Amino acid sequence: MVRSAKGLAGRRSGLSAAASCCMALAIACMPAAHAQQSTQSATQPTSPPGVANLPATPNVCGHRDPGDTRPRIGLALGGGGARGVAHISILREIEAQHIPIDCIAGTSMGSLVGGLYAAGVPLDDMEELVRSTDWAQLFDDKLARKDRSYRRKQDDRVGLATVGVGFNSGKLRVSPGLLQGERILGMFEKETLGVSAIDDFNKLPIPYRAVATDLNTGEAVVLDHGSLAMAMRASMSLPGVFQPAQIEGRVLLDGGVADQVPIDVVRAMGADVVIAVDVGTPLEKLDSDASVLQVVSQISGMLTVGNTKRMLATLGPNDVLITPDLGKQVATSDFSKAPEALEIGRVAAEKARPALQRFAASPAIYDRQVAARPVPSKEPPVITFVHLDNQTQYSDDYILSRLDVPLNAPLDTATIGDRVLQVYAIGTFASVTYEVVEEQGKSGLLVHAREKPHGPNYLQLGLTVSSDFSGTYTSSLRGAILVSPLSEYGAEARVGVSLGNEPSLWGEYYHPFDVANRWLGYVRLGFDNPNINVFDSDAHIIATYDVRSYGLTARLGREYGNYGAAGIGYERAVGRAAVQVGDPALPRFDFNTGRAFVFANVDRLDSLYFPRNGYGADLTFKVASESLGSDSSYKQFEFSALGAKALGDSPHAFQAGMSYNVTVDGTLPVQDRYRLGGRGHLVGFRTNELTGQDYAVVFVGYTYQLAEVFGRSALVGSTLEYGNAWESRSDMSWNDGILNGSVYIGFDSWVGPMMFGLGWREGGDGVVFIEIGKTF
């Protein structure tokens, strides 16, 4: 059974907070605001700020047979980012000493390790997880470009990026967090799948609590029921970096803001003895030359260290404090140093061995204690229903059809994780999360879909710059407002403006006709003001035409998954071209363009700027005639293709491609002539230096990735290109081509791809060029 309802009040509710890189998670244990030192249970009513609400719950902390008088032992694991990996080694020593842990509370990274252990995940599996995880990818919610929807791929061609700012009810609104958290939450769901249907954390193999902070009161919130994965995630919501988590109407931040090492929480669970592990980052020693960022970070650290000191001061003589000597060897962001953190944790646990041995149980008692714990299921649950908590403007069918969860089949976490990311990658969802729930003895999924709070009007920005340092320079700063969704199937509208050498103003509307977004309509109205350079035989600019065009483009097409599209269209434009720079005697002219076209394309490239893998191709046939509103009649055939292949996981990658664009019949008007110059279009020529009615280019390329900075490539590369432009298709000849080559250094920056290089062509001078925001 599949059931969905707008605003469904599910058994649990939650908002996925975000993370996009290992540094972001690492910082999550370093709060940025002071908090009240009181703690509330998520099951209790909200207490006034400053009023402690720690309900004592004897007998929650561990099972006891009659006559068993051993002290109940609680484990308090503190936050510390990558430093928290050391917790695993502490747990390994505790197991080796046959010390039964009766209850666990964790904050931030401690909530992750503690939650997994409480769920029955073996330490060997945990260690393998931290060693093998690609942390950079785990904290990056961007879907690989080849897997994005066709619509979102087209944003790259427009050169616009959504910047996390929107307009709602006449007010400017900023995204509540820079980073989401779809992949990390998916990992939590996968690793805790064996206990995913357990709603009460007291019923986990080891009773457990995660600690978060209430954004509106500053008080600690103890999460003791609901989704275990969401509870761990809520405990790690760094203010301003991760989007806060929302659970049962409360907006939650990183637990370290209020309770970095939750000793009080395990005591409230009924622990007689506390083993506390502090992996927090010590304060730095700064001088008067400290930067503003260093000062802010230090103040944040003071708050964390302060609440840690207050909590550690409550430890009694029977309690144990373990502080791994991580120093500066493992920073909060150093997830690549998991082996070092594990080793430092092992050394710390060894030093604490004498203190820990006091609590060792006999092997028989220890085995009996462990055997009494509930055993997590090793089989994935069989999903018999799907409920949708839809808090968006999209239809339920739109979301459910993309998730496509098979019923009466075991849950495949990898598949559902990928599909959740594909829905999230539509771009207007704040979060798309799922959890396993039970109803009437049957397992199912409860999916939460929540729209971005700063929508539905999103600000987009883009920048394009091109120069050859020899008189040719163009720049374009673009801004747009994307309104989405405008229909339950995901219709969108966008109004944009471009300022610079070639200003433009446009509006477009994209309309899917069916729930699967297979059949689509598109309309664009705009004013464009390009400049057309005219060169002499010595490659000197003799004139620049100012072209002003008002036009309409309409397309009707069929998309094929996220691979590509095909369809038909019509273009109509009117305009005037006049000499802007050059001989004023050169003629000005008015023009009318009217043409129909058919198109087909495929796009599976991982990048339009610096591709390392994938392929793409475009094919278009255009017909202009007087009956269609054109001044002249002509026909054009255009084809281009690009492929890229990286050598395994090495930094080496190769590209190859071609373009073949010809005027099959008639004569092209000046404003529609093909213009060449730049990488992939005969890089030895300046932009628009080579023009004609027909052109053909073949090229090969090579790139070497120097580094990857937050998922963005820095590289060096080169191209070898061969081709030319001709006035007549009958003149096209392989022997008449011109060899071009280039070397460049590039970076896929946040303002657009940046490239600086040197181009060369046979029989000509070298061209030094810089480009920002231009595709291959």
Side-chain angles (χ1 to χ4, degrees), residues 508-712:
E508 61 180 4
Y509 178 70
Y510 163 90
H511 186 85
F513 292 105
D514 63 322
V515 68
N517 284 190
R518 289 181 296 256
W519 293 98
L520 304 147
Y522 173 86
V523 177
R524 181 188 188 273
L525 291 170
F527 165 75
D528 296 286
N529 188 195
N531 298 319
I532 300 178
N533 296 325
V534 180
F535 294 81
D536 62 18
S537 59
D538 295 322
H540 297 133
I541 297 177
I542 60 173
T544 299
Y545 272 88
D546 176 58
V547 179
R548 301 190 178 192
S549 173
Y550 301 86
L552 173 147
T553 300
R555 291 199 302 263
L556 178 64
R558 169 73 155 83
E559 289 186 6
Y560 296 91
N562 58 8
Y563 281 76
I568 59 176
Y570 173 73
E571 295 176 327
R572 181 76 170 92
V574 298
R576 169 172 293 186
V579 174
Q580 183 180 48
V581 178
D583 186 353
L586 290 172
R588 69 168 54 192
F589 58 90
D590 297 329
F591 62 85
N592 287 274
T593 299
R595 58 191 177 192
F597 60 90
V598 295
F599 68 92
N601 56 51
V602 60
D603 187 345
R604 296 285 286 171
L605 290 166
D606 62 352
S607 170
L608 281 185
Y609 312 111
F610 304 115
R612 288 177 51 80
N613 280 295
Y615 55 89
D618 290 276
L619 186 151
T620 306
F621 184 74
K622 302 177 181 179
V623 176
S625 67
E626 292 184 5
S627 62
L628 293 171
S630 180
D631 292 329
S632 57
S633 298
Y634 56 88
K635 297 177 182 178
Q636 296 170 274
F637 175 82
E638 301 174 344
F639 176 75
S640 61
L642 172 63
K645 179 67 176 177
L647 299 182
D649 295 328
S650 77
H652 305 280
F654 294 89
Q655 303 83 33
M658 65 166 293
S659 294
Y660 179 76
N661 291 16
V662 296
T663 305
V664 177
D665 182 48
T667 301
L668 287 182
V670 171
Q671 71 274 9
D672 290 328
R673 290 168 62 87
Y674 296 117
R675 296 183 289 275
L676 302 181
R679 183 183 63 148
H681 295 85
L682 301 182
V683 71
F685 290 88
R686 287 179 287 175
T687 302
N688 298 342
E689 180 176 346
L690 194 62
T691 67
Q693 291 203 116
D694 313 275
Y695 82 88
V697 175
V698 295
F699 62 86
V700 293
Y702 165 78
T703 55
Y704 181 90
Q705 185 169 283
L706 299 170
E708 193 170 0
V709 183
F710 297 116
R712 297 178 177 273

Side-chain angles (χ1 to χ4, degrees), residues 455-500:
N457 309 302
Y458 302 96
L459 177 64
Q460 297 181 313
L461 297 175
L463 174 67
T464 300
V465 174
S466 178
S467 175
D468 61 11
F469 301 98
S470 298
T472 301
Y473 173 83
T474 61
S475 66
S476 173
L477 176 63
R478 295 182 299 282
I481 299 296
L482 173 69
V483 185
S484 178
L486 286 175
S487 77
E488 62 179 7
Y489 291 166
E492 297 180 349
R494 178 159 44 197
V495 178
V497 62
S498 177
L499 304 175

Side-chain angles (χ1 to χ4, degrees), residues 83-107:
R83 299 162 67 90
V85 172
H87 289 316
I88 297 174
S89 294
I90 307 296
L91 288 169
R92 195 175 290 281
E93 178 66 25
I94 287 172
E95 282 192 355
Q97 294 301 320
H98 290 160
I99 301 173
I101 296 299
D102 296 298
C103 53
I104 301 174
T107 294

Side-chain angles (χ1 to χ4, degrees), residues 99-150:
I99 301 173
I101 296 299
D102 296 298
C103 53
I104 301 174
T107 294
S108 197
M109 190 63 180
S111 74
L112 169 58
V113 176
L116 294 178
Y117 193 66
V121 177
L123 291 177
D124 287 344
D125 292 353
M126 260 197 273
E127 183 170 331
E128 175 61 22
L129 181 67
V130 299
R131 287 180 182 271
S132 63
T133 294
D134 183 345
W135 294 96
Q137 183 185 46
L138 184 64
F139 300 117
D140 183 355
D141 290 324
K142 295 192 301 292
L143 199 63
R145 185 181 181 278
K146 68 181 182 64
D147 296 325
R148 295 177 197 164
S149 69
Y150 177 79

Side-chain angles (χ1 to χ4, degrees), residues 410-494:
L411 177 64
D412 184 336
T413 55
T415 299
I416 187 64
D418 288 343
R419 290 174 180 169
V420 162
L421 273 177
Q422 288 174 5
V423 176
Y424 171 76
I426 291 170
T428 57
F429 288 87
S431 64
V432 183
T433 63
Y434 74 92
E435 54 185 297
V436 178
V437 295
E438 283 195 357
E439 291 183 1
Q440 299 177 352
K442 294 184 178 181
S443 297
L445 289 186
L446 174 58
V447 179
H448 304 277
R450 186 168 179 267
E451 62 189 0
K452 289 184 176 180
H454 58 288
N457 309 302
Y458 302 96
L459 177 64
Q460 297 181 313
L461 297 175
L463 174 67
T464 300
V465 174
S466 178
S467 175
D468 61 11
F469 301 98
S470 298
T472 301
Y473 173 83
T474 61
S475 66
S476 173
L477 176 63
R478 295 182 299 282
I481 299 296
L482 173 69
V483 185
S484 178
L486 286 175
S487 77
E488 62 179 7
Y489 291 166
E492 297 180 349
R494 178 159 44 197

